[in-house]
Amino acid sequence: MTETQSGGNVATDGDLRPIVDGHTQEIIKLHGRLDGVEGEVRSFKSGQEAMMERLISVEAQGQERERNRAQDRVQDRSALTSLAQQIAKLTGAQEERNRQSQERTQTLKRLSIWIGIMTGVLGMLGATLFSSQTFDAAFWGHFRTPHVEAQINATPNH
């Protein structure tokens, strides 16, 4: 360097070499550190990319689980609807059987009441008719056998 270039006294080449060598060594160290930092940054970026891939994978799995759950809910609702319909049919059928059974019971009650009334009326009529001596003699007189006739005639009248 010249005096005008450096702005001051010109140093000899021997004076600058140790300084340049010191700076060179520092630059080499800094370059080594920079390489280490770049390696760490690359490692960090690859780790970050791996984490992003993992996060995307986990999110996709979560979405798949949600879709499966939604399908399960739809199937469950369908099964419950079908079950409710079957129960309604069974309940309706049971109600119809109960209604028919009640109708038969009512019919049998009416029939038994009519039979009871008819039996009572016929019983009263029979008791009235058969308690009469005239009817009894007239009615049973037609069924007398010769053996019974002989026995009646053989009895002395007092």
Side-chain angles (χ1 to χ4, degrees):
M1 281 195 183
T2 64
E3 194 174 337
T4 20
Q5 289 176 339
S6 68
N9 294 333
V10 177
T12 62
D13 283 340
D15 293 336
L16 293 178
R17 283 186 192 216
I19 295 172
V20 171
D21 285 341
H23 287 302
T24 304
Q25 291 299 323
E26 286 183 37
I27 289 173
I28 290 173
K29 287 179 186 176
L30 288 175
H31 187 54
R33 286 186 200 159
L34 185 59
D35 286 343
V37 169
E38 286 175 349
E40 289 177 13
V41 167
R42 277 192 300 272
S43 174
F44 177 74
K45 282 183 179 179
S46 69
Q48 189 179 19
E49 288 173 4
M51 288 297 287
M52 286 300 289
E53 288 175 7
R54 179 71 178 137
L55 180 62
I56 290 169
S57 172
V58 167
E59 187 175 333
Q61 290 172 354
Q63 289 173 352
E64 181 67 24
R65 277 193 296 270
E66 188 58 34
R67 278 192 297 275
N68 290 340
R69 285 184 190 133
Q71 287 175 347
D72 289 345
R73 283 192 297 266
V74 167
Q75 289 174 349
D76 290 346
R77 282 188 200 120
S78 175
L80 285 174
T81 301
S82 174
L83 181 61
Q85 289 172 346
Q86 290 175 357
I87 289 172
K89 286 179 185 176
L90 289 175
T91 302
Q94 185 64 40
E95 287 175 355
E96 180 62 21
R97 282 193 296 270
N98 289 344
R99 186 190 63 76
Q100 289 174 354
S101 176
Q102 287 175 350
E103 285 179 1
R104 280 188 297 246
T105 302
Q106 289 297 328
T107 302
L108 288 174
K109 282 182 182 179
R110 287 185 194 119
L111 182 63
S112 65
I113 289 171
W114 277 108
I115 289 173
I117 289 172
M118 294 302 290
T119 304
V121 168
L122 290 175
M124 288 180 357
L125 180 65
T128 303
L129 289 177
F130 288 121
S131 68
S132 166
Q133 289 288 334
T134 309
F135 177 80
D136 187 36
F139 181 76
W140 292 112
H142 294 290
F143 295 106
R144 288 188 180 165
T145 60
H147 172 69
V148 171
E149 197 63 40
Q151 197 176 23
I152 291 174
N153 289 338
T155 312
N157 287 341
H158 295 263

